[in-house]
Amino acid sequence: AGSEPGKAVESLVEQGQISQEQITQVTEDLELMELLETVGDESAPMEVRTAEEDPGKRIGRYTLTDQLGAGGMGVVWKAWDSQLSRFVALKLLKVQDPKLIRRFMREATLLAKLAHPNITRVYEVGVHEGKPFLVMEMVDGEPPKAENITRQEAARIIRDAARAVQSAHDEKIIHRDLKPSNLLVSKKGRVFVTDFGLARMKEEAGGLTQSGALLGTPSYMAPEQAQGKDADHRTDIYGLGATLYALVEGQPPYTGELVHEVVKRVAISNPPSISGTDDLVVVAQKAMERDREDRYQTAGELADELQRFVDDEPIVARKITPVERIWRRAKRKPALASAIALGTLVVTGLLVWSGLFVADYLQTRAQIAAASAPLAKGESAIKALREMYGSQNVNPTWEAQALANLEANADEALSKAPNYSIANYQKGMVSFWRQDFETAIEWFDKALVDDPNFHEARSRRVGALTPTIPLPEAVQDYSGFKIIPPILDESDKQALEVVEQDVALLPDGFDRKELGAAVVASSRGEFASGAENMEVYLQNNLYDKTNRRLFAWLLFGDGQFEKAGENADLLLSVNDQDTDAWFLRAYAYAGVGDFDNALTAMRNSLSIKEDLNSRNWLAFWLFKQERLDQSLDEYSAILQQDPDFLEALRGRSSLLGLIRTPDSLVVAAQDAQRAIELAPDDAYGHFLLGQAFLTTDQVAAIASHEKAIQLEPDYFAHSTAAIANAHILLGQYDQAIEKLNAALEVEPDQYNWRWQLANVHRSLGDTSSAIAALEPLDNDVPLLLFKADLRRQAGDFSTAKVNIQDALELEPDNTLAQAKLVEYLARDGDLDTAQQLAASVLSENDDESIWFQITDSWFQADQLDKATTAGKRFVQKFPNSVQSNYLLANILAYQQGFVDAYP
């Protein structure tokens, strides 16, 4: 590193890593490129020169001229290569989704492995402005069209395509999406197989190859793809056969606007035969056999058969009769293997059975054909409804009429084909769009009885079950508010069990699989994973209000309040009169401690719709802001409307317990007792009752807190500390110390509990234990001053002075610390400095507590004259103060020798 380029190259040559010939070649290439950039490309056609004037159409050395096509992943351009003076096809990825980029790079990697005259070649892979692009061979042609070709020409096209596909299979690459639009025929008649966007290596695992994923084009996909099974090389043979069918018949083997109806037909039906009586019928039939074991086993075999047809030679395959097809399937069933060996009798029975099977099949097929007509009438309405719901621009009148028509169409279909899964599904969707989720679930259930592999019905059942399962709950207790999993009754648990089963059965790729996973995670309190699942679902369901509410609660549970707020903002951008969205927005503000905005948002919600739960949170947040009077008014207003509103009873009891006047404690206890009557097993009610009884009935307070601990072990620390308070008030100091130590073992950083423990030890004269109780805490000014008092009581004046000086380093202007320092300066004999400091402190702060501390500092330093003078001024300043009169009386008594020591 840091060496000159020339020396670095010489070093690489000496090490044998590159040759001198390679260096020469690179140098010549660079010189050529620089020259081309200098002189321009005179050979470029006029269309290129025109396009070059637009900087947005330049990608490196390529100039984009005409858009050739666009797909789900990217746009394909006709582009001019200025370095090699030729047209190429440049595929530019439209988005920057990591999944699509991986798929795009997979296509490039796979194509780079292929070298066949009937597969478009890859020239380069690059990145432009953060988006990858692929440069390929430009084919001057278009996809084959049935109206322009004969049966012989169709056979030649599929023959050449099969040769190319066999070459890909030899490299262990499967295309998986063969169809006419993925073939190109040049003006010279050369066939190219294109778009390996869904291709994969045979040995790849995971990702796009997971079992159950629906990939490919429904009208051309093989039965195993429609059934969600893994594809193999014979899947491509089916695709070639289906493409041959389309070239001969002018349409794909299966058609229909309802995707899942097409997929179902592909999955359960034998493919139709192409018209005619020649050998091409047999070849197409064998290539498209429903069971892949019955197809040609290699693309090369199919190509050879098509070559025989083109050459008018006898083909190897022969037509398979329906009975023979059934016989072959029976042979593959282990349960029938022994029966087959029984001979003619079994064969005869099988022929009879097959006849019945065929008759039943034909009858069912006729019913489905009759039922499809009324369902097809509503396809445009379904599309319009989905667009309307997606945009949130709902026309209620049109919606009601459209849903009524769809329901009538489904009823007509069911009259022609009872239990037809697609008709049942449409009935379910009508109920779903009407928000009648219970009825929707019943219809989806019926659809799944007829067709257990009807994944769309299963995924929609997940969507209908979701609103019936309770959301996570927000609760408030001694520690504030938190999110807990929903409380489920038996019907909720049954619904959740169905959701779990559906999630397990749904193939990857169905977004409501992610929705179901989020609901399951929510019920278990797994908020982080639930939020991830829900976010994936909502990417494709941007304005799903019902599940955006669940998303918000999952985010709350995971502590992502800012993101939950953004989620609420999205809903409000669509409808600023959405009371639920305002509620969520308020909760998000509160989660980050912004109670002012939380109150404003909640009042917006209440202005749209009065709701006691929302008003209860309003009262709680006022309480959090210490706006106690306003909070009390809100709680009282709620309880006036509903005397048994549990959360308001708890909230007011907590608030009044904090105020702690005799009257407030009476009402606090009454509210807590009523809360316990409504929810006997709720720990918070017992905790609040214990707090209300603390100063009036310590024995009852202890009993209530012990009950809270019994019901909810998480209350142990806080209730145990409260029990210690009760023991202190009862004068039971040893029990209080025991309880405080137990509470601190669970929550060692509780500041107030350590102060309380230190005070109990101090009351018992055990200053060393008092100081030890405070040691784990981080020092602040009040703590340092408390430690100074404890050390003075123990006679350790030098350390006490250090504590006060440390406090003054933290807060140099703290007058209480300065007043305490007066004592230690006087003890050290520095009376002038002490006197100056005392005067300075009193000039800055003549509060009663400061006067008391200055006077007491002189007294404790045994400066009785100064203490007497200060005491008299103290009484003059505050003549009605108990502190001033009591302290002066003590000073005078000690000065006259009435006591031996300062009490």
Side-chain angles (χ1 to χ4, degrees):
S3 63
E4 296 179 7
K7 293 181 179 179
V9 171
E10 291 176 4
S11 176
L12 291 172
V13 173
E14 291 174 359
Q15 296 173 16
Q17 296 186 27
I18 60 175
S19 66
Q20 188 62 49
E21 290 75 11
Q22 289 174 315
I23 295 172
T24 302
Q25 183 63 56
V26 170
T27 303
E28 291 174 353
D29 288 346
L30 289 173
E31 290 174 351
L32 176 60
M33 291 173 66
E34 290 175 358
L35 179 62
L36 287 173
E37 290 178 359
T38 302
V39 303
D41 187 359
E42 294 294 334
S43 64
M46 183 56 68
E47 62 179 303
V48 176
R49 297 183 185 183
T50 302
E52 284 176 341
E53 296 176 1
D54 182 356
K57 290 191 174 182
R58 293 297 302 271
I59 296 180
R61 73 188 208 220
Y62 303 102
T63 301
L64 308 181
T65 58
D66 300 305
Q67 184 173 316
L68 300 177
M73 285 178 60
V75 180
V76 180
W77 289 86
K78 179 182 179 182
W80 179 256
D81 183 344
S82 60
Q83 183 174 331
L84 298 177
S85 298
R86 65 181 178 185
F87 279 110
V88 295
L90 189 147
K91 186 171 185 178
L92 180 66
L93 197 64
K94 291 190 294 187
V95 295
Q96 293 179 305
D97 185 294
K99 292 181 180 178
L100 291 180
I101 292 174
R102 284 195 294 270
R103 179 173 155 188
F104 186 90
M105 297 309 295
R106 178 184 292 107
E107 179 181 1
T109 302
L110 294 176
L111 285 172
K113 292 176 177 287
L114 303 178
H116 191 274
N118 298 108
I119 297 177
T120 50
R121 288 175 291 173
V122 173
Y123 295 142
E124 182 184 351
V125 178
V127 178
H128 176 69
E129 295 182 350
K131 294 181 180 179
F133 65 87
L134 182 68
V135 181
M136 298 173 289
E137 178 180 3
M138 179 69 189
V139 177
D140 186 12
E142 58 183 19
K145 296 179 181 178
E147 60 267 24
N148 298 329
I149 58 177
T150 65
R151 294 169 76 89
Q152 290 280 336
E153 289 170 331
R156 290 191 191 96
I157 290 171
I158 301 304
R159 174 201 64 193
D160 293 347
R163 300 286 188 212
V165 169
Q166 182 61 57
S167 174
H169 290 177
D170 291 342
E171 295 293 334
K172 300 183 179 180
I173 295 171
I174 306 168
H175 190 288
R176 297 201 300 175
D177 194 24
L178 290 166
K179 54 188 176 183
S181 61
N182 281 341
L183 301 182
L184 290 176
V185 180
S186 71
K187 291 182 179 180
K188 295 181 179 180
R190 184 173 161 193
V191 176
F192 291 87
V193 179
T194 67
D195 199 351
F196 277 73
L198 289 183
R200 69 167 175 89
M201 299 294 292
K202 285 185 179 179
E203 64 270 19
E204 275 188 35
L208 293 174
T209 68
Q210 289 176 347
S211 179
L214 284 176
L215 296 173
T217 305
S219 294
Y220 293 93
M221 66 171 49
E224 59 268 20
Q225 288 175 294
Q227 294 163 5
K229 298 177 182 178
D230 280 338
D232 65 13
H233 63 283
R234 293 167 296 183
T235 303
D236 283 349
I237 293 168
Y238 182 98
L240 290 166
T243 303
L244 176 60
Y245 180 98
L247 295 183
V248 173
E249 298 296 326
Q251 64 179 21
Y254 297 95
T255 59
E257 291 188 24
L258 289 174
V259 170
H260 290 285
E261 182 176 354
V262 175
V263 171
K264 181 182 177 182
R265 290 177 186 171
V266 173
I268 67 174
S269 307
N270 288 319
S273 297
I274 62 175
S275 59
T277 58
D278 56 15
D279 285 345
L280 195 61
V281 177
V282 179
V283 175
Q285 181 194 56
K286 186 172 179 65
M288 295 171 63
E289 280 293 334
R290 183 181 171 199
D291 291 336
R292 43 186 147 186
E293 292 86 353
D294 291 337
R295 299 174 202 154
Y296 293 104
Q297 293 302 291
T298 68
E301 290 180 24
L302 173 59
D304 291 343
E305 284 280 74
L306 290 168
Q307 183 63 56
R308 294 185 188 102
F309 174 78
V310 169
D311 294 340
D312 200 22
E313 295 179 358
I315 62 171
V316 174
R318 62 182 179 81
K319 189 171 183 178
I320 302 174
T321 66
V323 172
E324 185 177 5
R325 182 177 291 110
I326 294 170
W327 176 263
R328 290 187 180 188
R329 291 179 187 168
K331 286 197 297 183
R332 297 190 190 106
K333 302 291 184 180
L336 295 177
S338 58
I340 292 170
L342 293 178
T344 306
L345 179 62
V346 175
V347 173
T348 304
L350 183 60
L351 291 174
V352 173
W353 171 79
S354 68
L356 294 174
F357 172 84
V358 170
D360 182 64
Y361 167 76
L362 292 175
Q363 180 184 3
T364 302
R365 185 172 180 178
Q367 290 177 343
I368 291 175
S372 297
L375 292 178
K377 291 187 295 185
E379 289 174 1
S380 61
I382 290 173
K383 181 179 180 182
L385 279 167
R386 286 174 172 157
E387 290 176 352
M388 182 180 70
Y389 293 134
S391 66
Q392 289 287 294
N393 186 21
V394 177
N395 182 329
T397 303
W398 181 87
E399 176 193 34
Q401 186 60 53
L403 293 176
N405 292 340
L406 288 174
E407 186 171 34
N409 294 341
D411 288 336
E412 183 182 350
L414 287 171
S415 70
K416 300 178 182 297
N419 300 320
Y420 183 31
S421 60
I422 296 176
N424 285 324
Y425 169 76
Q426 183 159 306
K427 290 275 285 186
M429 286 306 302
V430 170
S431 297
F432 183 87
W433 284 326
R434 287 173 175 164
Q435 303 288 295
D436 182 0
F437 298 117
E438 290 187 8
T439 304
I441 291 167
E442 293 175 4
W443 287 110
F444 294 144
D445 287 345
K446 291 179 181 179
L448 288 165
V449 169
D450 180 52
D451 182 2
N453 293 320
F454 196 166
H455 298 311
E456 184 64 19
R458 189 176 301 283
S459 74
R460 285 291 183 178
R461 181 167 70 180
V462 168
L465 283 165
T466 300
T468 69
I469 298 173
L471 293 169
E473 290 192 80
V475 298
Q476 58 193 53
D477 58 16
Y478 64 88
S479 62
F481 65 98
K482 55 190 174 184
I483 309 299
I484 62 173
I487 298 174
L488 306 177
D489 59 23
E490 284 305 313
S491 63
D492 297 330
K493 292 176 182 176
Q494 291 173 6
L496 186 65
E497 185 177 347
V498 174
V499 171
E500 289 189 87
Q501 293 171 352
D502 284 344
V503 169
L505 292 172
L506 279 174
D508 293 334
F510 280 85
D511 55 10
R512 279 170 291 276
K513 182 182 180 75
E514 300 290 346
L515 171 61
V519 173
V520 172
S522 166
S523 70
R524 294 173 177 165
E526 299 168 355
F527 299 124
S529 62
E532 290 177 6
N533 290 126
M534 186 62 79
E535 188 165 24
V536 172
Y537 165 75
L538 289 172
Q539 286 174 355
N540 298 319
N541 300 272
L542 193 62
Y543 297 108
D544 184 338
K545 175 184 172 182
T546 300
N547 290 304
R548 279 210 171 274
R549 287 188 65 205
L550 175 56
F551 184 41
W553 287 110
L554 289 166
L555 292 170
F556 291 149
D558 192 38
Q560 299 187 59
F561 291 99
E562 291 185 2
K563 191 169 185 177
E566 295 170 1
N567 180 71
D569 288 339
L570 179 61
L571 292 174
L572 290 170
S573 69
V574 176
N575 179 11
D576 63 1
Q577 296 299 301
D578 186 340
T579 184
D580 290 338
W582 278 117
F583 180 94
L584 296 174
R585 207 355 156 174
Y587 211 98
Y589 280 130
V592 294
D594 185 356
F595 293 109
D596 285 337
N597 277 320
L599 291 168
T600 299
M602 191 60 82
R603 289 190 175 105
N604 286 339
S605 177
L606 287 165
S607 70
I608 300 166
K609 178 182 177 183
E610 179 65 28
D611 176 68
L612 290 184
N613 182 52
S614 298
R615 189 163 293 282
N616 181 71
W617 283 107
L618 190 74
F620 178 64
W621 293 332
L622 287 167
F623 184 11
K624 293 285 286 184
Q625 284 192 309
E626 299 184 3
R627 295 156 69 175
L628 302 186
D629 290 342
Q630 295 178 50
S631 177
L632 183 58
D633 289 344
E634 290 290 346
Y635 279 130
S636 298
I638 295 168
L639 291 169
Q640 189 172 3
Q641 292 185 58
D642 183 358
D644 290 337
F645 195 89
L646 185 60
E647 290 297 335
L649 285 167
R650 293 168 178 161
R652 189 169 72 174
S653 178
S654 177
L655 171 60
L656 293 172
L658 181 67
I659 295 174
R660 304 204 72 77
T661 65
D663 291 341
S664 74
L665 290 175
V666 171
V667 179
Q670 292 172 348
D671 285 347
Q673 286 170 327
R674 183 56 185 154
I676 292 171
E677 290 173 7
L678 295 171
D681 294 332
D682 180 65
Y684 190 38
H686 292 278
F687 177 90
L688 291 171
L689 186 60
Q691 295 297 87
F693 281 151
L694 191 58
T695 55
T696 59
D697 187 345
Q698 289 79 37
V699 174
I702 291 171
S704 293
H705 279 295
E706 287 177 342
K707 181 67 174 177
I709 295 170
Q710 177 187 345
L711 291 169
E712 180 52 70
D714 284 348
Y715 277 68
F716 175 82
H718 286 263
S719 282
T720 299
I723 291 170
N725 272 332
H727 284 303
I728 292 171
L729 293 171
L730 290 170
Q732 299 168 348
Y733 299 121
D734 290 339
Q735 292 96 320
I737 290 171
E738 178 186 349
K739 292 296 183 181
L740 285 168
N741 280 324
L744 286 165
E745 283 185 12
V746 178
E747 296 189 23
D749 296 330
Q750 281 286 345
Y751 190 90
N752 291 335
W753 299 351
R754 289 199 171 277
W755 272 67
Q756 199 169 32
L757 180 61
N759 272 315
V760 175
H761 282 301
R762 182 185 189 182
S763 299
L764 294 173
D766 187 356
T767 54
S768 61
S769 295
I771 293 171
L774 299 172
E775 284 306 317
L777 297 178
D778 292 334
N779 281 326
D780 57 15
V781 171
L783 186 63
L784 286 166
L785 296 180
F786 187 23
K787 287 180 178 180
D789 287 345
L790 290 171
R791 288 188 166 109
R792 183 187 69 178
Q793 184 176 340
D796 184 1
F797 302 113
S798 60
T799 308
K801 182 180 178 182
V802 170
N803 289 149
I804 292 172
Q805 290 171 330
D806 288 343
L808 286 168
E809 283 187 12
L810 293 174
E811 293 183 18
D813 297 329
N814 188 294
T815 52
L816 179 59
Q818 291 172 346
K820 285 180 178 290
L821 183 59
V822 169
E823 174 188 346
Y824 298 95
L825 292 171
R827 283 183 182 277
D828 291 341
D830 191 355
L831 295 179
D832 289 341
T833 304
Q835 185 69 49
Q836 292 172 4
L837 180 59
S840 173
V841 170
L842 290 173
S843 68
E844 293 178 14
N845 186 350
D846 64 349
D847 184 76
E848 182 179 351
S849 63
I850 299 300
W851 272 97
F852 179 89
Q853 186 59 58
I854 290 290
T855 304
D856 191 52
S857 290
W858 293 120
F859 188 25
Q860 295 295 335
D862 204 24
Q863 297 293 321
L864 298 182
D865 290 341
K866 293 184 182 298
T868 301
T869 301
K872 289 178 179 179
R873 291 178 62 196
F874 186 15
V875 171
Q876 286 178 340
K877 181 76 174 177
F878 301 99
N880 298 319
S881 165
V882 173
Q883 284 194 100
S884 64
N885 286 282
Y886 179 78
L887 181 56
L888 179 59
N890 272 279
I891 294 169
L892 293 172
Y894 187 78
Q895 192 175 34
Q896 297 298 323
F898 294 152
V899 291
D900 294 330
Y902 181 66

